Amino acid sequence: MVASASLAQTSLRGNVTDPAGEPLIGATVLIHELDKGMVTDLDGQFRFDNLRVADYHLHISYIGYEAKTIAIHPRDGDGVTIVLEPTSLELSEIVVESNHYKTGPREHTLAMEIIDMEYLKKNRKGTLVNSLEDLPGVNAINTGVGISKPVIRGMSFNRVIVNDKGVKQEGQQWGTDHGLEIDMFEPGRVEVVKGPSSLMYGSDGLGGVLNIFPPSLPDPGTHQGAVQSIYKTNNQSVSTSTSLEGNFDDKVYRLRFSTQDFGDYRVPATSFNYNNFNLPLYDNQLKNTAGNERNLTAMVGLKKNWGYSTLTVSNFHQTAGFFVGAIGIPRSYQLTPDGDSRNTDLPKQVINHFKVISNSNILIGKNWLELDMGYQNNYRQEQSNPHAHGKGPRPDGTQAHALRLQTYSLNARYFIRLSDRHSRILGVQGQQQSNSRGGFEFLLPEFSSASVGAFVFEEFSFKKQVTATAGVRFDYANRSIDSYSEPIYSDETTIERYYQRNGAINSDFYNVSGALGLSYYPSRSFNAKWNLGTSFKVPTAAELSMNGIHHGTFRHEVGDSTLTSERGLQADLSLSYQKSNISLVVSPFISWFNDFIYLAPTAMFSSSMDSDAFPEGGQVFQYKQNDAFFAGGEVAAEYHPIEELHIRVAYEYVYNYNLDTKLPLPFTPPASIFTELQYELESSMTWLDGVNFGVNFKKVFDQKRVDRNERTTPGYYLIGFNMGTQFVFNGFKPELVFSALNLTDTRYFNHLSRYRLLNLPEQGRNFMISLNIPFAIK
């Protein structure tokens, strides 16, 4: 594996200064390809020895200065001087380390938000997705407080890709009540890629991509960890996470164990109205919305001068109750308190997501091969009491659904630096899946699927002012779905006939996609990005073959075996202006989709399909394909009138239109404005490293552009508050953060919440306290 790499040794030395030539002491310098870093000494200098002769990318960052990325080919005796420009903008201090893009943020042609661990710690809200929903263009579809899925520019489900450590997360994401099974404490950074992403990532990259990265690998001789704890008052939630990592002579390890236990959450309401019935909410609580999580992650690996290789094993386990009226029609007797606000009764879901991921970056000659491989086993159990079942034996137990999805993934990318101005990426991706089912209810049949894709991506730079990108990709996918027939009984024991829920399907799909991009940066303060790309989405097994009453969504959902690949033509523009204390970014986008797949209501009810198979009625929703149009954009501004005061404003808007029905598409997020003021107060006390105070305001506008049979949702205001500090005790630096969500206890509805169908408001006032205690082992 390493023998093919060049064995020639070299060193890399340099110094980091400010524009006046003064050395920056303690600046971080990281070699991207090796995940190897150090800090500059008292003279602002750094030196890496025993390097292979190859092309590298250096990431340089320092608090209060704009981060920089440079490409370098070290030779013995060569030195480099790196000048960092001062800035008051926090996000400018963050280095972009995405696997695919080794250049700096100006050179990227796609719009991207880069979030580091400090932002995540300050904005934790129960799930990873909820921690990101104040970013412009990002929203969350929620089911209660522990289940959420990402929305990027109005698209979700199988139109947003989530990559965890380079491997696409797979976990029945077609369901509204199916969240993202990732430990919220695990990510070290998150990159939100907006716009068409099929070229690099394949099917489903229409809305965008969430790239989730672990923290950087520990440096040699270090052994450290942290204990984190969060308490929330609204549902008495207690979350903990303990981590330990280290490096023994380039042998690295990382361990993490996280827990979360939460009770029934409270809303600012004593009753709710559903289907013209007024139903009580005792003690302002939604009964049976409690739950818990137990998550374990272990990583081992090697860091060498030929690259690095790691193996990560993780297990996510969640038990989450559903509000008792969320499955079937809510009744008053079901809402009576049971005396325990922390137990989970029926209905509920139990999820276990097991993953094994291998990440390697290997030097071959003077170029680099990135290899990500993964195995995932997602086991979803949905438990409830049997619904009306007509004739025949009554089902045993409470296992309504038992879905096991197993996924094998392979992603390989070979990076070639052809010259100082021209780079190339050759990529291959493959995936194989199998899904089995069980339980007394039917929704999705057993199936297997396979896909393979290959792409080439070119990057050119001109006069240090322009970067142009272009690429093309070919994909093949297969869906092999088993037929399923259920017995129809004439009495308790006699089978009279069989009703076929779905027929056997074996379909092949071929797609060709491409993209063009341009980034223009004539000065440090201005950057214009333009991207035009085609994207595609292969129909899922659910869209092709589903046929059953989805009790959680109050409808009967039926697939269509004739669906073809959904294709899009998407363009976006990003214009940014930045000085040391001010930043403005405007990012409009427009998309046209051919054969857009969506669920459409019909005039049929379940009983009209087969009254014996479906004695319990429900309106039938059919998967259909029509052309659709999307447009919108984000505006983000950041300003520091003085060094201590930070003001941030972000606006987002999504417009879509079904070109067949002449109506908007469902689950479209409303427009919103988010404003945040943050003030940092220096401390004269040696044991206190400053205090920061913040207040934020969010205005969400009315959502009146809705699909047929979808409710409109009134707008609302939310106010939040946070305060944080870091203590210093002989090098021991614990962090304490206090925050408040929905400070005024506003009663509001979230248009993207599953509970919106029941006219249930969102969480009321919620105070949070977070403690992070880092430690080092000598």
Side-chain angles (χ1 to χ4, degrees), residues 236-264:
Q236 291 80 51
S237 171
V238 178
S239 305
T240 66
S241 185
T242 303
S243 63
L244 179 65
E245 65 179 21
N247 185 321
F248 290 99
D249 191 26
D250 290 334
K251 301 175 182 67
V252 296
Y253 69 91
R254 179 178 292 127
L255 301 170
R256 180 179 296 277
F257 178 66
S258 303
T259 70
Q260 188 171 185
D261 295 89
F262 50 92
D264 298 339

PDB file of all heavy atoms in Angstrom, residues 236-264:
ATOM      1  N   GLN A 236     -36.724  18.329  31.422  1.00  0.00           N
ATOM      2  CA  GLN A 236     -35.765  17.756  32.371  1.00  0.00           C
ATOM      3  C   GLN A 236     -34.770  16.831  31.659  1.00  0.00           C
ATOM      4  O   GLN A 236     -34.483  15.709  32.100  1.00  0.00           O
ATOM      5  CB  GLN A 236     -36.459  16.996  33.497  1.00  0.00           C
ATOM      6  CG  GLN A 236     -37.242  17.876  34.475  1.00  0.00           C
ATOM      7  CD  GLN A 236     -38.611  18.257  33.912  1.00  0.00           C
ATOM      8  OE1 GLN A 236     -39.358  17.386  33.482  1.00  0.00           O
ATOM      9  NE2 GLN A 236     -38.921  19.529  33.933  1.00  0.00           N
ATOM     10  N   SER A 237     -34.254  17.325  30.557  1.00  0.00           N
ATOM     11  CA  SER A 237     -33.314  16.539  29.756  1.00  0.00           C
ATOM     12  C   SER A 237     -31.922  16.613  30.363  1.00  0.00           C
ATOM     13  O   SER A 237     -31.442  17.690  30.719  1.00  0.00           O
ATOM     14  CB  SER A 237     -33.291  17.054  28.320  1.00  0.00           C
ATOM     15  OG  SER A 237     -32.251  16.456  27.588  1.00  0.00           O
ATOM     16  N   VAL A 238     -31.260  15.455  30.457  1.00  0.00           N
ATOM     17  CA  VAL A 238     -29.888  15.371  30.932  1.00  0.00           C
ATOM     18  C   VAL A 238     -29.070  14.651  29.863  1.00  0.00           C
ATOM     19  O   VAL A 238     -29.358  13.500  29.521  1.00  0.00           O
ATOM     20  CB  VAL A 238     -29.779  14.621  32.271  1.00  0.00           C
ATOM     21  CG1 VAL A 238     -28.322  14.519  32.709  1.00  0.00           C
ATOM     22  CG2 VAL A 238     -30.606  15.319  33.343  1.00  0.00           C
ATOM     23  N   SER A 239     -28.059  15.345  29.342  1.00  0.00           N
ATOM     24  CA  SER A 239     -27.189  14.766  28.323  1.00  0.00           C
ATOM     25  C   SER A 239     -25.751  14.796  28.819  1.00  0.00           C
ATOM     26  O   SER A 239     -25.327  15.777  29.429  1.00  0.00           O
ATOM     27  CB  SER A 239     -27.278  15.548  27.007  1.00  0.00           C
ATOM     28  OG  SER A 239     -28.610  15.647  26.560  1.00  0.00           O
ATOM     29  N   THR A 240     -25.020  13.722  28.565  1.00  0.00           N
ATOM     30  CA  THR A 240     -23.611  13.669  28.949  1.00  0.00           C
ATOM     31  C   THR A 240     -22.802  13.068  27.812  1.00  0.00           C
ATOM     32  O   THR A 240     -23.319  12.292  26.992  1.00  0.00           O
ATOM     33  CB  THR A 240     -23.394  12.809  30.215  1.00  0.00           C
ATOM     34  OG1 THR A 240     -23.710  11.442  29.909  1.00  0.00           O
ATOM     35  CG2 THR A 240     -24.264  13.288  31.361  1.00  0.00           C
ATOM     36  N   SER A 241     -21.541  13.438  27.757  1.00  0.00           N
ATOM     37  CA  SER A 241     -20.634  12.837  26.787  1.00  0.00           C
ATOM     38  C   SER A 241     -19.225  12.869  27.361  1.00  0.00           C
ATOM     39  O   SER A 241     -18.754  13.917  27.811  1.00  0.00           O
ATOM     40  CB  SER A 241     -20.677  13.585  25.449  1.00  0.00           C
ATOM     41  OG  SER A 241     -19.891  12.923  24.482  1.00  0.00           O
ATOM     42  N   THR A 242     -18.565  11.729  27.337  1.00  0.00           N
ATOM     43  CA  THR A 242     -17.198  11.606  27.833  1.00  0.00           C
ATOM     44  C   THR A 242     -16.312  11.099  26.705  1.00  0.00           C
ATOM     45  O   THR A 242     -16.637  10.089  26.063  1.00  0.00           O
ATOM     46  CB  THR A 242     -17.118  10.641  29.021  1.00  0.00           C
ATOM     47  OG1 THR A 242     -18.006  11.092  30.055  1.00  0.00           O
ATOM     48  CG2 THR A 242     -15.704  10.569  29.572  1.00  0.00           C
ATOM     49  N   SER A 243     -15.212  11.807  26.454  1.00  0.00           N
ATOM     50  CA  SER A 243     -14.322  11.423  25.360  1.00  0.00           C
ATOM     51  C   SER A 243     -12.893  11.325  25.858  1.00  0.00           C
ATOM     52  O   SER A 243     -12.497  11.995  26.823  1.00  0.00           O
ATOM     53  CB  SER A 243     -14.399  12.438  24.213  1.00  0.00           C
ATOM     54  OG  SER A 243     -13.949  13.715  24.638  1.00  0.00           O
ATOM     55  N   LEU A 244     -12.117  10.479  25.187  1.00  0.00           N
ATOM     56  CA  LEU A 244     -10.702  10.299  25.493  1.00  0.00           C
ATOM     57  C   LEU A 244      -9.987  10.004  24.185  1.00  0.00           C
ATOM     58  O   LEU A 244     -10.455   9.174  23.391  1.00  0.00           O
ATOM     59  CB  LEU A 244     -10.508   9.154  26.487  1.00  0.00           C
ATOM     60  CG  LEU A 244      -9.061   8.825  26.881  1.00  0.00           C
ATOM     61  CD1 LEU A 244      -8.446   9.989  27.647  1.00  0.00           C
ATOM     62  CD2 LEU A 244      -9.004   7.548  27.707  1.00  0.00           C
ATOM     63  N   GLU A 245      -8.870  10.683  23.937  1.00  0.00           N
ATOM     64  CA  GLU A 245      -8.113  10.462  22.713  1.00  0.00           C
ATOM     65  C   GLU A 245      -6.632  10.620  22.991  1.00  0.00           C
ATOM     66  O   GLU A 245      -6.227  11.249  23.969  1.00  0.00           O
ATOM     67  CB  GLU A 245      -8.541  11.432  21.621  1.00  0.00           C
ATOM     68  CG  GLU A 245      -8.244  12.893  21.941  1.00  0.00           C
ATOM     69  CD  GLU A 245      -8.653  13.828  20.819  1.00  0.00           C
ATOM     70  OE1 GLU A 245      -9.499  13.434  19.995  1.00  0.00           O
ATOM     71  OE2 GLU A 245      -8.118  14.957  20.749  1.00  0.00           O
ATOM     72  N   GLY A 246      -5.818  10.023  22.104  1.00  0.00           N
ATOM     73  CA  GLY A 246      -4.382  10.124  22.297  1.00  0.00           C
ATOM     74  C   GLY A 246      -3.609   9.598  21.114  1.00  0.00           C
ATOM     75  O   GLY A 246      -4.175   9.112  20.122  1.00  0.00           O
ATOM     76  N   ASN A 247      -2.287   9.710  21.236  1.00  0.00           N
ATOM     77  CA  ASN A 247      -1.381   9.307  20.163  1.00  0.00           C
ATOM     78  C   ASN A 247      -0.148   8.663  20.792  1.00  0.00           C
ATOM     79  O   ASN A 247       0.621   9.328  21.483  1.00  0.00           O
ATOM     80  CB  ASN A 247      -0.998  10.529  19.324  1.00  0.00           C
ATOM     81  CG  ASN A 247      -0.148  10.183  18.116  1.00  0.00           C
ATOM     82  OD1 ASN A 247       0.728   9.329  18.171  1.00  0.00           O
ATOM     83  ND2 ASN A 247      -0.381  10.892  17.022  1.00  0.00           N
ATOM     84  N   PHE A 248       0.018   7.339  20.579  1.00  0.00           N
ATOM     85  CA  PHE A 248       1.201   6.616  20.996  1.00  0.00           C
ATOM     86  C   PHE A 248       2.100   6.413  19.778  1.00  0.00           C
ATOM     87  O   PHE A 248       1.851   5.521  18.963  1.00  0.00           O
ATOM     88  CB  PHE A 248       0.829   5.236  21.558  1.00  0.00           C
ATOM     89  CG  PHE A 248       0.119   5.253  22.868  1.00  0.00           C
ATOM     90  CD1 PHE A 248      -1.260   5.128  22.931  1.00  0.00           C
ATOM     91  CD2 PHE A 248       0.819   5.367  24.061  1.00  0.00           C
ATOM     92  CE1 PHE A 248      -1.923   5.110  24.139  1.00  0.00           C
ATOM     93  CE2 PHE A 248       0.162   5.356  25.271  1.00  0.00           C
ATOM     94  CZ  PHE A 248      -1.208   5.236  25.313  1.00  0.00           C
ATOM     95  N   ASP A 249       3.124   7.239  19.621  1.00  0.00           N
ATOM     96  CA  ASP A 249       4.091   7.017  18.545  1.00  0.00           C
ATOM     97  C   ASP A 249       3.381   6.807  17.210  1.00  0.00           C
ATOM     98  O   ASP A 249       3.589   5.802  16.508  1.00  0.00           O
ATOM     99  CB  ASP A 249       4.974   5.810  18.881  1.00  0.00           C
ATOM    100  CG  ASP A 249       6.161   5.691  17.939  1.00  0.00           C
ATOM    101  OD1 ASP A 249       6.574   6.732  17.382  1.00  0.00           O
ATOM    102  OD2 ASP A 249       6.644   4.559  17.739  1.00  0.00           O
ATOM    103  N   ASP A 250       2.505   7.751  16.851  1.00  0.00           N
ATOM    104  CA  ASP A 250       1.743   7.760  15.600  1.00  0.00           C
ATOM    105  C   ASP A 250       0.629   6.710  15.555  1.00  0.00           C
ATOM    106  O   ASP A 250       0.022   6.506  14.500  1.00  0.00           O
ATOM    107  CB  ASP A 250       2.652   7.569  14.386  1.00  0.00           C
ATOM    108  CG  ASP A 250       3.530   8.789  14.140  1.00  0.00           C
ATOM    109  OD1 ASP A 250       3.115   9.890  14.543  1.00  0.00           O
ATOM    110  OD2 ASP A 250       4.608   8.648  13.546  1.00  0.00           O
ATOM    111  N   LYS A 251       0.350   6.059  16.660  1.00  0.00           N
ATOM    112  CA  LYS A 251      -0.810   5.177  16.766  1.00  0.00           C
ATOM    113  C   LYS A 251      -1.885   5.947  17.533  1.00  0.00           C
ATOM    114  O   LYS A 251      -1.696   6.273  18.699  1.00  0.00           O
ATOM    115  CB  LYS A 251      -0.455   3.867  17.466  1.00  0.00           C
ATOM    116  CG  LYS A 251       0.648   3.073  16.772  1.00  0.00           C
ATOM    117  CD  LYS A 251       1.028   1.858  17.591  1.00  0.00           C
ATOM    118  CE  LYS A 251       2.164   1.090  16.923  1.00  0.00           C
ATOM    119  NZ  LYS A 251       3.436   1.861  16.921  1.00  0.00           N
ATOM    120  N   VAL A 252      -2.991   6.266  16.864  1.00  0.00           N
ATOM    121  CA  VAL A 252      -3.984   7.154  17.446  1.00  0.00           C
ATOM    122  C   VAL A 252      -5.218   6.380  17.889  1.00  0.00           C
ATOM    123  O   VAL A 252      -5.515   5.298  17.367  1.00  0.00           O
ATOM    124  CB  VAL A 252      -4.391   8.259  16.444  1.00  0.00           C
ATOM    125  CG1 VAL A 252      -3.214   9.154  16.118  1.00  0.00           C
ATOM    126  CG2 VAL A 252      -4.957   7.654  15.168  1.00  0.00           C
ATOM    127  N   TYR A 253      -5.936   6.962  18.849  1.00  0.00           N
ATOM    128  CA  TYR A 253      -7.176   6.352  19.330  1.00  0.00           C
ATOM    129  C   TYR A 253      -8.118   7.454  19.783  1.00  0.00           C
ATOM    130  O   TYR A 253      -7.703   8.563  20.123  1.00  0.00           O
ATOM    131  CB  TYR A 253      -6.904   5.381  20.484  1.00  0.00           C
ATOM    132  CG  TYR A 253      -6.457   6.063  21.760  1.00  0.00           C
ATOM    133  CD1 TYR A 253      -7.380   6.465  22.726  1.00  0.00           C
ATOM    134  CD2 TYR A 253      -5.105   6.336  21.989  1.00  0.00           C
ATOM    135  CE1 TYR A 253      -6.972   7.098  23.891  1.00  0.00           C
ATOM    136  CE2 TYR A 253      -4.689   6.979  23.136  1.00  0.00           C
ATOM    137  CZ  TYR A 253      -5.631   7.355  24.092  1.00  0.00           C
ATOM    138  OH  TYR A 253      -5.226   8.000  25.241  1.00  0.00           O
ATOM    139  N   ARG A 254      -9.412   7.146  19.773  1.00  0.00           N
ATOM    140  CA  ARG A 254     -10.426   8.060  20.300  1.00  0.00           C
ATOM    141  C   ARG A 254     -11.615   7.233  20.780  1.00  0.00           C
ATOM    142  O   ARG A 254     -12.081   6.334  20.080  1.00  0.00           O
ATOM    143  CB  ARG A 254     -10.877   9.067  19.249  1.00  0.00           C
ATOM    144  CG  ARG A 254     -11.969  10.028  19.748  1.00  0.00           C
ATOM    145  CD  ARG A 254     -12.353  11.054  18.686  1.00  0.00           C
ATOM    146  NE  ARG A 254     -11.279  11.993  18.429  1.00  0.00           N
ATOM    147  CZ  ARG A 254     -10.781  12.252  17.241  1.00  0.00           C
ATOM    148  NH1 ARG A 254     -11.264  11.617  16.177  1.00  0.00           N
ATOM    149  NH2 ARG A 254      -9.805  13.130  17.078  1.00  0.00           N
ATOM    150  N   LEU A 255     -12.121   7.547  21.966  1.00  0.00           N
ATOM    151  CA  LEU A 255     -13.284   6.877  22.536  1.00  0.00           C
ATOM    152  C   LEU A 255     -14.297   7.935  22.949  1.00  0.00           C
ATOM    153  O   LEU A 255     -13.926   9.008  23.441  1.00  0.00           O
ATOM    154  CB  LEU A 255     -12.897   6.033  23.757  1.00  0.00           C
ATOM    155  CG  LEU A 255     -11.868   4.920  23.556  1.00  0.00           C
ATOM    156  CD1 LEU A 255     -11.429   4.355  24.904  1.00  0.00           C
ATOM    157  CD2 LEU A 255     -12.456   3.807  22.685  1.00  0.00           C
ATOM    158  N   ARG A 256     -15.578   7.632  22.767  1.00  0.00           N
ATOM    159  CA  ARG A 256     -16.624   8.543  23.226  1.00  0.00           C
ATOM    160  C   ARG A 256     -17.858   7.732  23.625  1.00  0.00           C
ATOM    161  O   ARG A 256     -18.269   6.804  22.919  1.00  0.00           O
ATOM    162  CB  ARG A 256     -17.016   9.550  22.150  1.00  0.00           C
ATOM    163  CG  ARG A 256     -18.117  10.531  22.615  1.00  0.00           C
ATOM    164  CD  ARG A 256     -18.486  11.532  21.545  1.00  0.00           C
ATOM    165  NE  ARG A 256     -17.384  12.405  21.213  1.00  0.00           N
ATOM    166  CZ  ARG A 256     -17.058  13.499  21.895  1.00  0.00           C
ATOM    167  NH1 ARG A 256     -17.770  13.835  22.976  1.00  0.00           N
ATOM    168  NH2 ARG A 256     -16.049  14.254  21.514  1.00  0.00           N
ATOM    169  N   PHE A 257     -18.422   8.103  24.771  1.00  0.00           N
ATOM    170  CA  PHE A 257     -19.691   7.525  25.213  1.00  0.00           C
ATOM    171  C   PHE A 257     -20.625   8.665  25.578  1.00  0.00           C
ATOM    172  O   PHE A 257     -20.282   9.526  26.391  1.00  0.00           O
ATOM    173  CB  PHE A 257     -19.495   6.604  26.416  1.00  0.00           C
ATOM    174  CG  PHE A 257     -20.785   6.022  26.935  1.00  0.00           C
ATOM    175  CD1 PHE A 257     -21.530   5.141  26.163  1.00  0.00           C
ATOM    176  CD2 PHE A 257     -21.261   6.365  28.190  1.00  0.00           C
ATOM    177  CE1 PHE A 257     -22.719   4.605  26.626  1.00  0.00           C
ATOM    178  CE2 PHE A 257     -22.454   5.837  28.675  1.00  0.00           C
ATOM    179  CZ  PHE A 257     -23.177   4.949  27.884  1.00  0.00           C
ATOM    180  N   SER A 258     -21.804   8.680  24.954  1.00  0.00           N
ATOM    181  CA  SER A 258     -22.766   9.765  25.165  1.00  0.00           C
ATOM    182  C   SER A 258     -24.109   9.206  25.595  1.00  0.00           C
ATOM    183  O   SER A 258     -24.516   8.117  25.154  1.00  0.00           O
ATOM    184  CB  SER A 258     -22.947  10.590  23.885  1.00  0.00           C
ATOM    185  OG  SER A 258     -21.727  11.120  23.435  1.00  0.00           O
ATOM    186  N   THR A 259     -24.793   9.964  26.424  1.00  0.00           N
ATOM    187  CA  THR A 259     -26.134   9.579  26.864  1.00  0.00           C
ATOM    188  C   THR A 259     -27.056  10.782  26.759  1.00  0.00           C
ATOM    189  O   THR A 259     -26.619  11.936  26.802  1.00  0.00           O
ATOM    190  CB  THR A 259     -26.139   9.072  28.318  1.00  0.00           C
ATOM    191  OG1 THR A 259     -25.891  10.179  29.210  1.00  0.00           O
ATOM    192  CG2 THR A 259     -25.069   8.010  28.543  1.00  0.00           C
ATOM    193  N   GLN A 260     -28.330  10.502  26.633  1.00  0.00           N
ATOM    194  CA  GLN A 260     -29.352  11.549  26.673  1.00  0.00           C
ATOM    195  C   GLN A 260     -30.632  10.941  27.218  1.00  0.00           C
ATOM    196  O   GLN A 260     -31.095   9.901  26.732  1.00  0.00           O
ATOM    197  CB  GLN A 260     -29.581  12.138  25.278  1.00  0.00           C
ATOM    198  CG  GLN A 260     -30.487  13.354  25.295  1.00  0.00           C
ATOM    199  CD  GLN A 260     -30.560  14.082  23.967  1.00  0.00           C
ATOM    200  OE1 GLN A 260     -31.179  15.128  23.866  1.00  0.00           O
ATOM    201  NE2 GLN A 260     -29.948  13.529  22.920  1.00  0.00           N
ATOM    202  N   ASP A 261     -31.188  11.553  28.249  1.00  0.00           N
ATOM    203  CA  ASP A 261     -32.450  11.112  28.852  1.00  0.00           C
ATOM    204  C   ASP A 261     -33.356  12.323  28.986  1.00  0.00           C
ATOM    205  O   ASP A 261     -32.965  13.334  29.589  1.00  0.00           O
ATOM    206  CB  ASP A 261     -32.204  10.485  30.229  1.00  0.00           C
ATOM    207  CG  ASP A 261     -31.388   9.204  30.152  1.00  0.00           C
ATOM    208  OD1 ASP A 261     -30.143   9.291  30.198  1.00  0.00           O
ATOM    209  OD2 ASP A 261     -31.995   8.132  30.043  1.00  0.00           O
ATOM    210  N   PHE A 262     -34.560  12.231  28.427  1.00  0.00           N
ATOM    211  CA  PHE A 262     -35.466  13.374  28.471  1.00  0.00           C
ATOM    212  C   PHE A 262     -36.885  12.917  28.769  1.00  0.00           C
ATOM    213  O   PHE A 262     -37.296  11.812  28.419  1.00  0.00           O
ATOM    214  CB  PHE A 262     -35.409  14.179  27.170  1.00  0.00           C
ATOM    215  CG  PHE A 262     -35.557  13.365  25.912  1.00  0.00           C
ATOM    216  CD1 PHE A 262     -36.796  13.159  25.335  1.00  0.00           C
ATOM    217  CD2 PHE A 262     -34.440  12.810  25.301  1.00  0.00           C
ATOM    218  CE1 PHE A 262     -36.926  12.419  24.169  1.00  0.00           C
ATOM    219  CE2 PHE A 262     -34.558  12.073  24.137  1.00  0.00           C
ATOM    220  CZ  PHE A 262     -35.812  11.875  23.570  1.00  0.00           C
ATOM    221  N   GLY A 263     -37.634  13.792  29.440  1.00  0.00           N
ATOM    222  CA  GLY A 263     -39.012  13.505  29.785  1.00  0.00           C
ATOM    223  C   GLY A 263     -39.988  14.115  28.786  1.00  0.00           C
ATOM    224  O   GLY A 263     -39.600  14.676  27.756  1.00  0.00           O
ATOM    225  N   ASP A 264     -41.281  13.995  29.082  1.00  0.00           N
ATOM    226  CA  ASP A 264     -42.304  14.602  28.233  1.00  0.00           C
ATOM    227  C   ASP A 264     -42.085  16.122  28.200  1.00  0.00           C
ATOM    228  O   ASP A 264     -41.839  16.749  29.222  1.00  0.00           O
ATOM    229  CB  ASP A 264     -43.700  14.331  28.795  1.00  0.00           C
ATOM    230  CG  ASP A 264     -44.026  12.844  28.845  1.00  0.00           C
ATOM    231  OD1 ASP A 264     -43.381  12.074  28.102  1.00  0.00           O
ATOM    232  OD2 ASP A 264     -44.903  12.453  29.633  1.00  0.00           O
TER     233      ASP A 264
END
